[in-house]
Amino acid sequence: MRQPADWMVPSDDRILELIREYGNLTPIAIEAKGGPVRQYASERCGVLARHGLLEQVHRGLYGLTDDGRAYLDEELDAAELEPTDS
């Protein structure tokens, strides 16, 4: 069972799963593939990136990190992640 952190919301898992399935995505593409609406996806991608589950590959383009894969594979407790300033 995945171990989400207190700062996570249910749509975070969907965003991470879509990026794992399709590769690097923009918030617009996340919405088009069945995820949350673009603006909300953009906000959540920023939060996920600050905690190390996603990386910003290019402005507005996000990819899954090793920690993101480990979380999806139930090998990482997201509560252990600390936010960064970047």
Side-chain angles (χ1 to χ4, degrees), residues 4-81:
D6 291 341
W7 52 265
M8 294 180 80
V9 297
S11 63
D12 290 348
D13 278 13
R14 181 71 180 139
I15 291 168
L16 294 168
E17 289 165 354
L18 286 168
I19 292 174
R20 175 165 64 179
E21 181 176 351
Y22 293 102
N24 299 342
L25 293 175
T26 63
I28 292 169
I30 290 168
E31 179 180 5
K33 296 193 179 298
V37 296
R38 180 203 56 83
Q39 185 173 352
Y40 190 65
S42 179
E43 292 172 17
R44 295 312 304 167
C45 283
V47 171
L48 293 166
R50 281 192 298 281
H51 285 85
L53 296 174
L54 292 179
E55 64 180 333
Q56 189 168 16
V57 176
H58 194 281
R59 184 177 175 177
L61 181 66
Y62 294 90
L64 200 59
T65 64
D66 289 340
D67 281 347
R69 281 183 203 80
Y71 168 75
L72 289 174
D73 292 338
E74 302 176 7
E75 298 169 354
L76 174 74
D77 180 348
E80 297 175 3
L81 300 172

